[in-house]
DNA sequence: TTGACAGG
């Protein structure tokens, strides 16, 4: 970590929504300006800053400081004061006036501004009016600094303090005194917890109305982190009461008041009162409306279409089965449709044919997926450029961490996507936010084709978008069920289907691709895993140990990814005198290690190099979930070279290493969208929320040739019985059905 | 207890 101080010479880029800023810092003693990057809540050119951060090397923009924290500082010597005043920090005062002011008042300048502003007019060229105005500005900044210090006493970070001050200004003190919980409402980044702590310090009662209401809203917001779009009243009241340490009855009577103030929304589903955080209610509602509006009929001549499909089949040397043909026909005829299918059911072939048909009509087609990797795979399998939905919609300004406040999409109802067809793959990963954003950017007349496997892991964000759409029955859904892969009669596929149906898996003695080795102690499980990956499986599936993937449900714990990686590294890639190592954030990376990129990086350059050392292909972009092997580590150039699939070599600066993780073992979540010859699955125990049917299904279907579960059979059965996404409260399905019914009524 | 997305 470095610390440097200097003037903000110029602001190269600034996103006002979230503060993401690129700026140049200068100092009289430096030869060159230094570029700093980060989320600066408030900056202006001419400010004097103390910046702490890491020195990194950006491939395009060179050396820069990645800001970790910063503060504004008042300059002290007269040179610095003059520079500060003259920098434009105070309106009406330029370099010339600043010089004159400082020549007169020297080190006393700042005191004059604060205490005797009228004396500024003694300087030639400064009127009384300008003097007062300048002093006011100056003092505003001082007040801000005081406010910062005040807030920091409550344990509030600098960044939050700036946000709070920007929101309320001097009224901040009043807000803090009367209702600190307002902070949680008005300021993203201040949650109930921080507000509650401030309130406690300010002497608020445990059962104050403000506290209870803020608590209810907070719990509703928090429930979205569990994937809910709403909570039944009973459940909401119970969790809130628990959080606040109060009696449920006391909480319950506040719910109605919040509904009346429209702070939360209440709707009945069946005989159950459901409470929504407003934004989510409107999102579901709008999604339903937009989906229905999008679902136009496009009449076609079936004979001609059939002919076209035939000729594509001939050209591509493929043969579509009945369901695939149905999918193609529906795609052409409907504004909205869903294609569902597990791995190996021919989704790719179907998408390809659909793309070809539309292409021959000269239509504009856009392909996208919710993750970078899925998009990349879509590009590879279709031969058309696919991108993340976020990029498609030109996302802007998502801040780090959980703060989604600044995030928005440039493509929306005002500037919709210009396309005839939009095809989205891996729809199961799309949450209600993303769906809403996508739909807003589509106009009726554009076809929306959604492809996915509803049995995979649910989306990160709230909602059961794909399942709700399918269940609502408003559009055509084609289910591809026939398994084309050669392993059609394999136990992997059979068991995957059993898992889906909720039946116990069969471990047949004579099975050739689906095994369970029962062990009850973590250490035994680890030993078996190592034995499998080092000795037994490679010859069995005819692959190298690096092709075999260990998948674990969790990161932490005795059987977590972190621990497993440490051990597997020891056995698969032990330390050797000639292997260079580099520690980063407590993890040791070594040459020949199997690693994975954990963040989309569109700038990362890669090249393919032939046996003579010549580059024969190059490009950009490494995606979240891509795995590779460390080829070289250079302590001299401070770089790590990683070889990804197809010999793509990418060079990481040491400071980019936060984008890499060891990948002998990865979480099942991370494996979604990838396939491996063999999968080893250590399963023993863990939280019920996580150990569910989807997770097991996702893990099992990653394997092409062989699945080996090591651990508890009982846990396997438990997971199959544990359908927890049923517990995701969402109502997109109901909203669609309601609107569809009322549309029909209007027409009749 | 796990997770994605981007900007000069």
């Amino acid at each position: 970590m470095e610390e440097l101080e200097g003037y903000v010479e110029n602001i190269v880029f600034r996103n006002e929504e979230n503060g993401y800023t690129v700026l140049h810092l200068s100092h009289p003693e430096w030869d060159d300006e230094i570029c700093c990057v980060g989320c600066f809540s408030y900056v202006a050119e001419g400010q004097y800053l103390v910046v702490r951060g890491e020195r990194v090397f950006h491939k395009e923009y060179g050396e820069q400081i990645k800001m970790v924290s910063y503060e504004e500082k008042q300059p002290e010597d007269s040179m610095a004061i003059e520079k500060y005043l003259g920098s434009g920090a105070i309106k009406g005062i330029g370099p010339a006036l600043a010089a004159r002011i400082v020549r007169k008042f020297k080190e006393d300048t700042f005191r004059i501004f604060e205490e005797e502003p009228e004396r500024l007019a003694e300087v030639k060229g400064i009127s009384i009016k300008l003097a007062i105005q300048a002093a006011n500005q100056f003092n505003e900044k001082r007040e801000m600094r005081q406010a910062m210090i005040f807030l920091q006493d409550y344990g509030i970070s600098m960044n939050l303090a700036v946000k709070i001050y920007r929101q309320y200004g001097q009224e901040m003190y009043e807000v803090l005194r009367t209702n600190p919980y307002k902070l949680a409402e008005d300021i993203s980044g201040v949650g109930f917890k921080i507000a509650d702590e401030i309130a406690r310090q300010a002497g608020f009662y445990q059962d104050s109305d403000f506290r209870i209401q803020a608590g209810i809203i907070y719990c509703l917001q928090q429930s979205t982190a569990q994937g809910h779009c709403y909570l039944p009243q009973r459940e909401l009241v119970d969790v809130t009461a628990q959080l606040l340490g109060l009696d449920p009855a006391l909480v319950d009577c506040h719910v109605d008041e919040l509904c009346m103030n429209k702070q939360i929304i209440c709707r009945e589903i069946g005989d159950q009162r459901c409470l929504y955080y407003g934004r989510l209610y409107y999102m579901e509602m709008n999604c339903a409306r937009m989906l229905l509006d999008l679902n136009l009929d496009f009449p076609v001549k079936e004979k001609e279409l059939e002919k076209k499909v035939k000729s594509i089949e001939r050209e591509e040397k493929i043969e579509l089965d009945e369901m695939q043909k149905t999918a193609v026909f529906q795609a052409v005829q409907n504004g909205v449709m869903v294609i569902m299918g597990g791995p190996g059911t021919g989704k790719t072939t179907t998408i390809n044919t659909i793309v070809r048909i539309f292409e021959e009509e000269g239509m504009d087609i856009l392909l996208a997926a919710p993750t970078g990797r899925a998009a990349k795979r879509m590009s590879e399998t279709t031969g058309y450029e696919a991108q993340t939905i976020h990029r498609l919609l030109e996302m802007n300004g998502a801040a780090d961490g959980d703060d989604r406040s600044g995030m928005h999409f440039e493509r929306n109802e005002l500037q919709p996507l210009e396309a005839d067809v939009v095809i989205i793959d891996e729809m199961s990963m799309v949450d209600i936010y993303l769906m809403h954003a996508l739909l807003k950017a589509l106009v009726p007349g554009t076809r929306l084709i959604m492809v996915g496997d509803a049995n995979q892991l649910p989306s990160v964000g709230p909602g059961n978008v794909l399942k709700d759409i399918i269940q609502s029955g408003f559009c055509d859904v084609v289910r591809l069920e026939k398994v084309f892969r050669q392993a059609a009669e394999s136990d992997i596929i059979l068991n995957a289907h059993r898992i889906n149906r909720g039946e116990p898996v069969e471990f047949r003695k004579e099975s050739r691709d689906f095994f369970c080795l029962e062990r009850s102690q973590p250490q035994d499980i680890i030993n078996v895993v190592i034995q499998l990956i080092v000795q037994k499986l490679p010859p069995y599936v005819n692959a190298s140990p690096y092709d075999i993937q260990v998948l674990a449900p969790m990161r932490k714990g005795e059987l977590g990814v972190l621990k497993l990686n440490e051990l597997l590294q020891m056995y698969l890639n032990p330390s050797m005198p000639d292997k260079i190592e580099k520690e980063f954030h407590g993890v040791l990376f070594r040459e020949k290690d199997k690693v994975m990129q954990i963040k989309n990086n569109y700038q990362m350059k890669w090249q393919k190099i032939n046996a003579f050392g010549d580059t024969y292909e190059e490009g950009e972009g490494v995606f979240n979930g891509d795995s590779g092997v460390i080829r070289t580590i250079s302590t001299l150039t401070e770089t790590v070279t990683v070889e990804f699939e197809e010999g793509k070599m990418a060079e990481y600066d040491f400071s980019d290493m936060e984008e890499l993780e060891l990948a002998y073992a990865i979480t099942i979540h991370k494996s979604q969208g990838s396939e491996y010859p063999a999968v080893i699955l250590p399963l023993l125990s863990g939280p019920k929320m996580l150990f569910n049917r989807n997770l097991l299904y996702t893990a099992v279907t990653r394997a092409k040739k062989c699945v080996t579960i090591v651990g508890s059979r009982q846990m396997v059965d438990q997971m199959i019985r544990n359908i927890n996404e049923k517990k995701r409260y969402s109502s997109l399905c109901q909203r669609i059905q309601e609107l569809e019914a009322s549309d029909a009524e209007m027409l009749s």
Side-chain angles (χ1 to χ4, degrees):
Chain A
M1 185 92 90
E2 282 186 51
E3 182 175 295
L4 29 104
E5 343 185 336
Y7 297 94
V8 178
E9 191 65 38
N10 69 313
I11 292 173
V12 181
F13 171 85
R14 178 156 172 86
N15 179 336
E16 278 300 338
E17 302 267 347
N18 65 354
Y20 176 82
T21 307
V22 181
L23 56 84
H24 288 157
L25 216 57
S26 73
H27 194 279
E29 287 168 22
W30 303 339
D31 295 333
D32 272 319
E33 295 168 354
I34 292 179
C35 178
C36 300
V37 184
C39 288
F40 291 80
S41 335
Y42 173 81
V43 276
E45 289 180 4
Q47 261 182 322
Y48 191 72
L49 300 183
V50 183
V51 179
R52 280 168 295 274
E54 303 282 353
R55 193 174 286 265
V56 298
F57 191 85
H58 192 286
K59 292 263 150 38
E60 257 171 77
Y61 307 109
E63 199 168 61
Q64 50 184 231
I65 302 289
K66 240 188 206 171
M67 184 274 284
V68 176
S69 69
Y70 80 102
E71 59 206 63
E72 196 191 346
K73 206 176 160 186
Q74 220 175 63
E76 276 150 19
D77 61 288
S78 26
M79 242 239 324
I81 294 172
E82 182 182 327
K83 174 102 186 171
Y84 173 76
L85 286 179
S87 65
I90 293 174
K91 262 183 235 142
I93 297 187
L97 274 185
R100 265 182 263 157
I101 293 170
V102 175
R103 210 178 307 139
K104 181 157 180 67
F105 300 113
K106 310 233 163 38
E107 272 85 4
D108 212 21
T109 303
F110 283 158
R111 196 192 57 78
I112 298 288
F113 266 93
E114 282 173 31
E115 294 169 16
E116 307 176 80
E118 64 287 346
R119 283 192 58 199
L120 289 172
E122 291 169 19
V123 176
K124 200 179 145 205
I126 297 185
S127 63
I128 281 285
K129 198 176 149 205
L130 176 59
I132 300 299
Q133 187 191 317
N136 281 345
Q137 273 192 57
F138 183 87
N139 288 327
E140 257 171 44
K141 293 201 169 181
R142 188 178 47 105
E143 281 169 354
M144 182 168 107
R145 271 192 292 272
Q146 280 168 348
M148 300 289 108
I149 293 162
F150 179 85
L151 288 170
Q152 272 162 37
D153 283 346
Y154 284 102
I156 295 170
S157 75
M158 182 70 188
N159 283 354
L160 275 186
V162 173
K163 279 194 199 167
I164 294 171
Y165 190 79
R166 279 176 88 186
Q167 174 82 27
Y168 304 117
Q170 289 300 109
E171 277 169 45
M172 174 190 98
Y173 301 97
E174 181 67 9
V175 174
L176 254 48
R177 201 175 56 77
T178 55
N179 178 13
Y181 295 102
K182 201 163 171 355
L183 294 181
E185 267 171 56
D186 295 339
I187 292 161
S188 74
V190 178
F192 176 79
K193 293 254 157 84
I194 292 176
D196 200 36
E197 179 56 26
I198 296 173
R200 198 186 58 78
Q201 287 188 40
F204 276 74
Y205 290 113
Q206 263 232 311
D207 59 352
S208 83
D209 292 358
F210 288 138
R211 181 165 190 262
I212 295 173
Q213 295 186 5
I216 292 172
I217 292 173
Y218 173 74
C219 285
L220 212 43
Q221 282 172 339
Q222 281 306 102
S223 72
T224 63
Q226 260 78 255
H228 303 303
C229 292
Y230 69 86
L231 282 184
Q233 181 152 349
R234 271 286 300 280
E235 219 168 308
L236 175 60
V237 168
D238 286 348
V239 286
T240 312
Q242 208 183 346
L243 171 83
L244 301 179
L246 296 172
D247 185 61
L250 205 55
V251 176
D252 199 71
C253 60
H254 279 278
V255 169
D256 284 343
E257 196 181 332
L258 283 171
C259 293
M260 264 177 338
N261 298 340
K262 300 242 162 69
Q263 305 223 64
I264 61 178
I265 288 173
C266 179
R267 284 289 176 277
E268 271 165 35
I269 296 180
D271 52 1
Q272 189 168 239
R273 278 179 62 133
C274 304
L275 297 163
Y276 296 79
Y277 185 57
R279 211 157 78 93
L280 278 153
Y281 174 76
Y282 292 110
M283 271 193 190
E284 283 196 336
M285 194 64 151
N286 290 339
C287 278
R289 179 74 271 160
M290 293 187 288
L291 277 166
L292 289 170
D293 290 347
L294 212 52
N295 195 19
L296 305 176
D297 286 331
F298 297 90
V300 287
K301 297 198 178 100
E302 298 229 352
K303 282 257 164 59
E304 278 178 32
L305 188 55
E306 214 152 318
K307 250 195 220 159
K308 275 184 204 150
V309 173
K310 280 232 172 65
S311 86
I312 290 170
E313 281 182 303
R314 257 199 315 278
E315 279 170 45
E316 304 281 323
K317 299 194 177 60
I318 51 168
E319 206 178 316
L320 301 181
D321 78 339
E322 275 315 303
M323 277 326 269
Q324 288 178 310
K325 272 187 200 151
T326 310
V328 174
F329 276 65
Q330 305 277 20
V332 176
Q333 293 172 21
N334 292 301
V336 180
M337 81 158 307
V338 175
I339 301 175
M340 246 176 70
T345 52
K347 278 181 293 185
T348 305
T349 316
T350 313
I351 297 177
N352 276 338
T353 312
I354 292 172
V355 170
R356 283 291 309 272
I357 297 240
F358 285 123
E359 198 195 24
E360 279 177 20
E361 297 289 311
M363 289 180 153
D364 290 322
I365 307 157
L366 293 172
L367 306 184
T371 69
R373 233 185 108 69
K376 189 180 107 182
R377 230 165 0 100
M378 206 181 179
S379 299
E380 285 162 2
T381 54
T382 60
Y384 292 87
E385 199 197 318
Q387 39 189 333
T388 61
I389 301 175
H390 303 78
R391 283 202 128 196
L392 181 77
L393 301 178
E394 296 168 34
M395 171 192 185
N396 231 326
D400 292 324
D402 284 340
D403 181 7
R404 312 171 60 96
S405 61
M407 186 165 112
H408 72 273
F409 295 96
E410 299 291 330
R411 291 292 183 165
N412 52 30
E413 64 273 38
L414 300 174
Q415 211 188 326
L417 292 169
E418 286 160 35
D420 302 302
V421 189
V422 174
I423 306 179
I424 306 291
D425 197 4
E426 297 285 7
M427 260 306 288
S428 65
M429 295 200 251
V430 174
D431 61 29
I432 193 78
Y433 300 130
L434 195 55
M435 190 63 191
H436 188 244
L438 174 66
L439 288 168
K440 278 210 300 184
L442 297 177
V443 283
T446 303
R447 288 179 180 79
L448 175 61
I449 299 167
M450 297 173 275
V451 187
D453 179 356
N455 298 308
Q456 289 207 31
L457 296 171
S459 57
V460 172
N464 278 319
V465 174
L466 180 60
K467 285 197 176 179
D468 280 351
I469 289 174
I470 293 168
Q471 206 196 333
S472 74
F474 91 97
C475 67
D476 282 307
V477 177
V478 179
R479 289 181 173 76
L480 303 176
E481 270 153 359
K482 193 169 145 202
V483 175
F484 288 89
R485 204 174 285 159
Q486 9 168 289
E489 72 288 356
S490 83
D491 288 337
I492 297 177
I493 303 289
L494 289 176
N495 279 328
H497 281 114
R498 286 200 188 99
I499 292 170
N500 268 342
R501 291 193 299 264
E503 298 164 15
V505 288
E506 274 182 29
F507 295 102
R508 302 183 299 130
K509 279 232 171 58
E510 63 278 19
S511 176
R512 293 165 61 190
D513 60 10
F514 207 96
F515 309 98
C516 182
L517 304 171
E518 286 206 70
R519 297 292 185 279
S520 53
Q521 295 304 314
Q523 193 50 54
D524 296 335
I525 294 178
I526 287 169
N527 290 340
V528 173
V529 168
I530 288 169
Q531 203 182 34
L532 283 169
I533 198 168
V534 175
Q535 300 165 2
K536 296 214 170 142
L537 283 176
Y540 189 73
V541 295
N542 190 23
S544 87
Y546 276 24
D547 294 328
I548 296 163
Q549 190 61 56
V550 177
L551 297 180
M554 295 196 280
R555 291 176 61 78
K556 293 177 188 160
E558 278 181 295
L559 293 173
V561 163
L562 301 177
K563 190 81 193 158
L564 286 167
N565 268 323
E566 209 180 301
L567 294 163
L568 287 164
Q569 181 189 43
M570 227 160 73
Y571 283 91
L572 294 175
N573 187 30
S575 162
M576 296 272 216
D578 62 329
K579 277 190 228 164
I580 300 174
E581 300 177 344
K582 162 78 186 161
E583 197 193 303
F584 190 82
H585 283 348
V587 180
L588 193 66
F589 289 88
R590 181 177 290 149
E591 288 180 337
K592 296 199 170 60
D593 264 340
K594 181 177 175 187
V595 291
M596 186 169 70
Q597 169 82 14
I598 54 155
K599 210 181 147 187
N600 287 348
N601 184 334
Y602 297 95
Q603 283 82 41
M604 180 64 74
K605 295 198 166 51
W606 52 259
Q607 42 190 240
K608 296 186 187 175
I609 296 166
N610 68 15
F612 306 104
D614 302 319
T615 300
Y616 66 92
E617 197 186 327
E618 50 190 359
E620 283 175 4
V622 182
F623 298 95
N624 191 351
D626 285 356
S627 68
V629 175
I630 295 182
R631 286 304 167 209
T632 56
I633 297 178
S634 164
T635 43
L636 187 71
T637 58
E638 301 204 323
T639 55
V640 178
T641 308
V642 179
E643 178 175 350
F644 288 100
E645 299 117 54
E646 302 158 40
K648 290 177 181 170
M649 307 289 273
E651 198 180 77
Y652 288 72
D653 197 84
F654 278 178
S655 60
D656 293 330
M657 277 176 73
E658 59 191 17
E659 297 185 4
L660 290 176
E661 267 178 11
L662 289 179
Y664 301 104
I666 64 174
T667 59
I668 298 172
H669 284 85
K670 274 261 180 270
S671 76
Q672 194 165 18
S674 302
E675 287 185 328
Y676 314 94
V679 160
I680 302 174
L681 206 54
L683 288 178
L684 187 59
S685 62
K688 196 145 188 246
M689 276 291 282
L690 185 65
F691 282 64
N692 60 31
R693 186 187 291 179
N694 285 320
L695 194 77
L696 184 64
Y697 174 81
T698 305
V700 163
T701 51
R702 297 308 97 203
K704 279 192 279 203
K705 290 188 191 160
C706 180
V707 173
T708 313
I709 296 171
V710 189
S712 152
R713 261 209 71 164
Q714 219 190 334
M715 179 49 96
V716 175
D717 293 333
Q718 249 180 58
M719 288 174 82
I720 294 172
R721 287 195 302 267
N722 180 6
I723 348 172
N724 91 338
E725 93 261 26
K726 270 219 163 145
K727 272 209 176 152
R728 259 187 187 228
Y729 295 112
S730 70
S731 53
L732 180 60
C733 173
Q734 281 84 352
R735 295 287 100 85
I736 293 173
Q737 289 174 339
E738 279 166 18
L739 281 179
E740 204 180 17
S742 73
D743 286 358
E745 209 172 298
M746 291 245 290
L747 282 176
S748 67

